[in-house]
């Protein structure tokens, strides 16, 4: 079989892969884009409830988790939300800001996929779907550095871009392929785990709270994530990333979900705690402190009902009353107030990759050039998008990273 030659082969036709392919194609590179699914951009299609939250106008490096919090800065600065919005506007796609800088299509997420497909065609990118059994080999003795064996033929190229995403939602085609390629070439991986995922109650918390499924309230969620021992050893520091989000919490049949929980789940590590301030900024039990009469569970419930949904207020008071006979001194009331602002859960786990919107961790950024996404060890090998250890908050940040890292590599290959 003859080997077909390209300048660049991009593996994975998701958000990052398509963006990279079109950026490289516009520069006159001969680009082949390979996808194992039957169609391109499947995650874009299901994103944002079908309307694709395609960017966040307030995107900053602080909106991302990574063992190296500075890594994303260069790519994000060189391809900004404004640049992606210009592309969306060029294609006449109507959009709106929903909340907190999050931009969604007015119509369907399909418009974003169609836009990227058109741009790829115009840039001369050749796209092949349904390609199985991809294997990458380096051949340093030939003018092309890499050989790509696949079910549809063999290819040779100077640059390979791995854009196969993370492990979230395997039924949408997610695989660990990118991590395997990284390992094959000796690159370090930050252990991947589920991010932006609902959390599962412990047995005890399940008994106490799960029948409230459907109840929702605004909270401040906090958790701390330790940097990996690998990075701590390299930097000589023992840093922690502290997540803090003021958004809605939703009780589910298995645990807690809602934006506050999804956000904080990316910071939570197994065995660790998550805290919820159930009444942010409100001194709920102040009325009890202002009187010496009527200090009891009924008045605590009456005060709590003014800020929490009735069922949650009633349950919180009942649970507290079971563990605490009720100390109605000023100190006892102050303690009750503190507990309300620090409802602490030690989840049994998260709902895992089946429900996670993203994968935290991935190819260690210490292995990559922050300007180009090229491997420092293997010239011509690039990693972009979710496969890299850069994970955005909920709210359009993950796509902005996919676009920006795709453009960074597309401009360098
Ligand atoms: P992505 O997963 O998009 O693409 C990887 C591609 O590689 C896929 O097409 C896959 O089939 C292919 N592939 C995998 N293994 C392969 C192999 N072995 N061979 C060949 N091809 C292979 N983000 C955001 O900013 N706004 C939002 O609204 C949402 N909404 C959202 C909803 C849901 C339900 C999920 C699961 C996720 C989101 N996200 C999101 C996150 C966002 O979808 C995600 O971060 C990006 O799609 C990542 O882009 P990538 O191109 O890196 O991976």
């Amino acid at each position: 079989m003859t080997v077909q030659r390209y300048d660049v082969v991009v593996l994975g036709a998701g958000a990052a892969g398509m963006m990279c392919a079109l950026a490289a194609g516009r520069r006159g590179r001969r680009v082949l884009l390979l996808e194992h699914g039957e169609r391109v951009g499947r995650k874009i299609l299901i994103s944002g409830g079908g309307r694709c939250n395609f960017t966040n106008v307030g995107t900053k490096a602080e909106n991302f988790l990574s063992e190296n919090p500075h890594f994303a800065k260069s790519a994000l600065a060189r391809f900004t939300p404004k640049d992606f919005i210009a592309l969306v506007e060029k294609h006449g796609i109507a959009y709106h800001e929903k909340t907190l800088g999050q931009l969604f299509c007015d119509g369907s997420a399909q418009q974003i996929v169609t836009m990227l497909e058109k741009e790829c065609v115009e840039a001369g990118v050749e796209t092949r779907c349904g390609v199985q059994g991809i294997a990458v080999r380096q051949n340093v003795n030939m003018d092309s550095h890499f050989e790509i064996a696949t079910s549809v033929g063999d290819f040779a190229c100077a640059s390979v871009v791995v854009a196969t995403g993370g492990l979230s939602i395997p039924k949408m085609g997610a695989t660990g392929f990118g991590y395997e390629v990284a390992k094959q070439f000796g690159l370090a991986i930050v252990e991947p785990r589920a991010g932006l995922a609902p959390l599962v109650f412990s047995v005890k918390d399940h008994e106490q709270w799960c029948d409230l499924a459907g109840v929702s309230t605004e909270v401040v969620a906090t958790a701390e994530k330790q940097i990996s021992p690998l990075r701590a050893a390299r930097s000589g520091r023992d840093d922690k990333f502290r997540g803090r989000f003021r958004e809605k919490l939703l009780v589910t049949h298995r645990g807690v979900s809602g934006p506050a929980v999804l956000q904080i789940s990316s910071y939570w590590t197994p065995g660790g705690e998550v805290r919820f301030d159930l009444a942010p900024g409100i001194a709920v039990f102040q009325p009890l402190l202002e009187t010496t009469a009527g200090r009891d569970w009924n008045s605590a419930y009456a005060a709590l009902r003014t800020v929490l949904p009735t069922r949650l207020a009633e349950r919180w008071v009942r649970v507290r009353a079971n563990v605490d006979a009720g100390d109605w001194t000023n100190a006892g009331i102050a303690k009750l107030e503190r507990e309300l602002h620090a409802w602490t859960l030690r989840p049994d786990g998260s709902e895992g990759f089946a429900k996670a919107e993203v994968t935290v961790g991935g190819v260690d950024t210490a292995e990559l050039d922050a300007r180009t996404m090229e491997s420092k060890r293997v010239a011509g090998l690039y990693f972009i998008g979710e496969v890299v250890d850069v994970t955005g908050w909920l709210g359009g940040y993950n796509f902005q990273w996919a676009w920006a890292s795709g453009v960074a590599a597309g401009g360098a290959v």
Side-chain angles (χ1 to χ4, degrees):
M1 206 193 283
T2 56
V3 174
Q4 296 174 60
R5 290 180 182 278
Y6 290 85
D7 296 320
V8 186
V9 174
V10 181
L11 305 177
M18 282 197 279
M19 200 68 193
C20 174
L22 72 88
R26 280 180 190 168
R27 290 174 52 239
R29 294 287 188 266
R30 194 160 175 239
V31 183
L32 177 65
L33 177 59
L34 298 179
E35 166 60 44
H36 74 160
E38 291 308 318
R39 55 190 301 190
V40 301
R42 282 176 297 174
K43 263 197 198 157
I44 300 174
L45 292 176
I46 60 163
S47 68
R51 291 192 194 275
C52 186
N53 176 195
F54 55 80
T55 192
N56 191 301
V57 291
T59 303
K60 293 193 208 77
E62 293 78 60
N63 306 122
F64 296 83
L65 280 107
S66 171
E67 295 288 314
N68 176 0
H70 304 292
F71 180 81
K73 284 182 180 166
S74 169
L76 291 172
R78 283 176 300 123
F79 188 83
T80 66
K82 272 195 186 146
D83 295 316
F84 194 77
I85 293 165
L87 192 60
V88 166
E89 289 178 350
K90 176 181 149 197
H91 286 258
I93 299 172
Y95 63 90
H96 60 279
E97 180 174 339
K98 198 168 166 190
T99 174
L100 304 168
Q102 302 168 6
L103 301 191
F104 287 75
C105 298
D106 287 357
S108 155
Q110 177 65 56
Q111 293 174 293
I112 299 292
V113 176
T114 305
M115 172 188 89
L116 294 169
E117 281 181 298
K118 274 190 192 160
E119 289 284 336
C120 279
V121 170
E122 272 171 32
V125 174
E126 235 179 276
T127 302
R128 299 236 196 147
C129 290
V131 181
Q132 306 301 326
I134 298 174
V136 181
R137 247 193 24 219
Q138 198 180 18
N139 190 338
V140 284
N141 298 320
M142 291 175 62
D143 53 346
S144 291
H145 294 169
F146 297 94
E147 291 170 359
I148 317 284
T150 78
S151 60
V152 297
D154 294 346
F155 307 97
C157 58
S159 305
V160 177
V161 183
V162 181
T164 47
L167 294 169
S168 46
I169 322 278
K171 69 173 189 229
M172 296 301 301
T175 69
F177 178 82
Y179 311 127
E180 284 155 31
V181 175
K183 283 183 196 155
Q184 176 192 338
F185 287 97
L187 276 64
I189 304 284
V190 177
E191 187 61 24
R193 60 186 181 81
L196 299 181
L199 295 171
V200 178
F201 280 138
S202 66
V203 174
K204 184 170 141 274
D205 286 328
H206 189 274
E207 281 165 9
Q208 279 177 343
W209 303 103
C210 261
D211 61 311
L212 298 185
V215 170
S216 162
T217 189
E218 187 176 273
V219 299
V220 170
T222 50
E224 275 179 359
K225 177 186 177 302
Q226 207 86 33
I227 66 168
S228 74
L230 176 75
R231 177 73 65 182
R234 268 190 207 144
S235 67
R237 291 181 323 198
D238 190 18
D239 293 349
K240 283 177 182 161
F241 302 122
R242 188 157 193 268
R244 185 180 187 280
F245 299 93
R246 183 172 184 150
E247 294 200 56
K248 289 262 180 183
L249 169 146
L250 170 73
V251 182
T252 72
H253 291 288
R254 287 171 48 81
V256 279
S257 188
V261 173
L262 299 184
Q263 298 278 33
I264 210 63
S265 73
S266 298
Y267 288 78
W268 174 78
T269 36
E273 288 180 345
V274 186
R275 280 181 184 211
F276 300 104
D277 179 344
L278 291 175
I282 306 173
V284 178
F285 300 119
Q286 186 63 28
L288 274 72
L289 286 176
E290 284 162 7
T291 167
T292 45
R295 289 182 172 197
D296 55 19
W297 288 113
N298 281 339
S299 47
Y301 169 55
L304 199 50
R305 232 178 37 180
T306 62
V307 292
L308 286 187
T310 310
R311 287 169 69 207
L312 185 55
E314 189 271 333
R315 181 62 50 85
W316 195 85
V317 163
R318 192 136 60 80
V319 168
R320 292 300 336 140
N322 279 344
V323 292
D324 183 344
D327 170 3
W328 302 109
T329 63
N330 285 0
I333 293 168
K335 179 167 169 272
L336 209 58
E337 186 81 55
R338 279 198 303 277
E339 285 168 355
L340 182 68
H341 297 287
W343 183 41
T344 305
L345 295 180
R346 196 177 284 278
D348 251 12
S350 79
E351 293 280 5
F353 289 115
K355 297 262 175 73
E357 276 198 19
V358 282
T359 302
V360 183
V363 176
D364 190 340
T365 56
E367 301 282 2
L368 307 176
D369 180 320
R371 284 190 66 78
T372 62
M373 306 294 134
E374 187 176 17
S375 160
K376 291 176 184 169
R377 293 173 196 251
V378 186
L381 180 63
Y382 297 75
F383 291 85
I384 57 171
E386 200 177 311
V387 74
V388 178
D389 172 36
V390 173
T391 309
W393 293 355
L394 190 73
Y397 302 103
N398 283 297
F399 279 136
Q400 188 57 36
W401 169 246
W403 317 134
S405 59
V407 169
V413 286

